[in-house]
Each structure stands twice: as structure tokens, then as C-alpha cells.
Amino acid sequence: MSDANLFQLGIGLETGAHEEDTARGVPTAIVNSLVDADREDHFIRRDGKVFAGTHLIIEVMKGTGLDCQPRIEDAFRKMVEVCGATLLHIHTHKFSPQGVSGVAVLAESHISVHTWPEIGYGAFDVFMCGDAEPWKAVDVLKSAFETDVVEVRELLRGEEIVAKEIAA
């Protein structure tokens, strides 16, 4: 088994993850290591913040083609490409009489969707860590589903956990 496979199984990691901080449920050794500027990982350090990744909640409205499984899969692939992410797997499901749900599993996290084509609505999540640029996905969705009616909310995943541990 390769080191990468062992890493995915959580074997051979020397992060201190087994030393749980029972007061907060967050492994103290991991959180303390996140603030180390020399650490090479996929945590993001921006504007004095350290966080696991950027999670965009994207509401596509008045969209067309939201019932088309291949079109959604193509949009996933385009988002991965323009955001600079790494695609591992795509799985979608077409509902009857309409609607599609799907996920693109990324090395940097995931993209997911559930659509209500009868009202032109698609609920997309784009969560990426590392050097990927998830905000570039917004223009891909506008183009793919022929709409400018898109709302986006950004969450910095893990930011509050790291901030609380640094202050403690």
C-alpha cells in the first residue's frame, strides 16, 4: 500500500491526532500546528486568518438546463478546471420526473448540487482548500445555466475553531 493510501486511512500520520482535547473535542496538537507558518498543508492563511477551506453556497436562479445530467457533469468538470482543483470522481443521479443531484469529489474537497428545474433553481456547494480558487466557479455556473441571477454566501470552514484555540 502506498504512503498516500496509508494517509487516506489515517495510518502513519504524526499529527498528534490521537491526543484529544476533551474540553473542546478538538485535537490540540493539530490546532497548535495550524498556526505554524512553515507548515506545508492545504490550510489557507489569508488576511491574518487560518482556515480549512472556502465553502461557497451558490444559489442559481432562473437557470436553464438544470434537468440535464450531462450538462451538470460538464459544469462540474469546467469548475474543477478553472478553479485549479483536482477531480477524483463525479457521481450524479437523475430524478423522475425532474431534478438532478450530484457530487464531484475533489482532492481539495467537493462540489455538490441538487436542482429543481421546474422553477429554474440549483443549489450548489463549492468547498475547496489549498490553492484552489472556488470563486471562479460562479462564472462557470452563470454560463452553464444561462443566468446572471446567482447569489453566493462564503463560509471560511474551520476559522472559528482555529481562532478559539489560538486565543485559549
Side-chain angles (χ1 to χ4, degrees), residues 48-71:
K49 298 176 183 177
V50 179
F51 52 98
T54 304
H55 191 157
L56 302 181
I57 308 301
I58 305 172
E59 315 279 0
V60 172
M61 296 162 285
K62 297 185 180 180
T64 61
L66 289 163
D67 201 34
C68 181
Q69 195 171 3
R71 191 171 185 172

Side-chain angles (χ1 to χ4, degrees), residues 60-76 92-95 97-101 113-124 140-147:
V60 172
M61 296 162 285
K62 297 185 180 180
T64 61
L66 289 163
D67 201 34
C68 181
Q69 195 171 3
R71 191 171 185 172
I72 288 170
E73 292 174 2
D74 288 344
F76 278 178
T92 57
H93 177 81
K94 175 84 169 72
F95 292 96
Q98 70 259 332
V100 177
S101 283
V113 67
H114 190 79
T115 70
W116 289 262
E118 67 275 19
I119 61 170
Y121 175 71
F124 288 83
V140 172
L141 292 173
K142 287 179 178 180
S143 176
F145 302 107
E146 301 170 0
T147 184

Side-chain angles (χ1 to χ4, degrees), residues 18-157:
H18 303 294
E19 301 170 17
E20 293 275 335
D21 177 342
T22 55
R24 293 178 195 84
V26 177
T28 303
I30 290 174
V31 174
N32 289 341
S33 70
L34 294 178
V35 297
D36 180 0
D38 295 329
R39 183 179 164 94
E40 291 186 23
D41 60 19
H42 291 284
F43 275 76
I44 298 168
R45 290 155 183 83
R46 184 175 68 213
D47 301 328
K49 298 176 183 177
V50 179
F51 52 98
T54 304
H55 191 157
L56 302 181
I57 308 301
I58 305 172
E59 315 279 0
V60 172
M61 296 162 285
K62 297 185 180 180
T64 61
L66 289 163
D67 201 34
C68 181
Q69 195 171 3
R71 191 171 185 172
I72 288 170
E73 292 174 2
D74 288 344
F76 278 178
R77 286 184 186 90
K78 183 69 174 174
M79 285 187 281
V80 169
E81 178 186 335
V82 302
C83 293
T86 307
L87 180 63
L88 301 176
H89 179 73
I90 292 177
H91 179 79
T92 57
H93 177 81
K94 175 84 169 72
F95 292 96
S96 178
Q98 70 259 332
V100 177
S101 283
V103 63
V105 179
L106 313 176
E108 297 80 7
S109 196
H110 72 273
I111 301 168
S112 64
V113 67
H114 190 79
T115 70
W116 289 262
E118 67 275 19
I119 61 170
Y121 175 71
F124 288 83
D125 284 14
V126 176
F127 180 22
M128 296 180 182
C129 62
D131 295 328
E133 300 178 79
W135 277 95
K136 290 184 175 184
V138 176
D139 286 336
V140 172
L141 292 173
K142 287 179 178 180
S143 176
F145 302 107
E146 301 170 0
T147 184
D148 283 325
V149 187
V150 175
E151 292 184 14
V152 183
R153 284 175 281 185
E154 178 184 72
L155 303 170
L156 303 182
R157 301 298 301 269

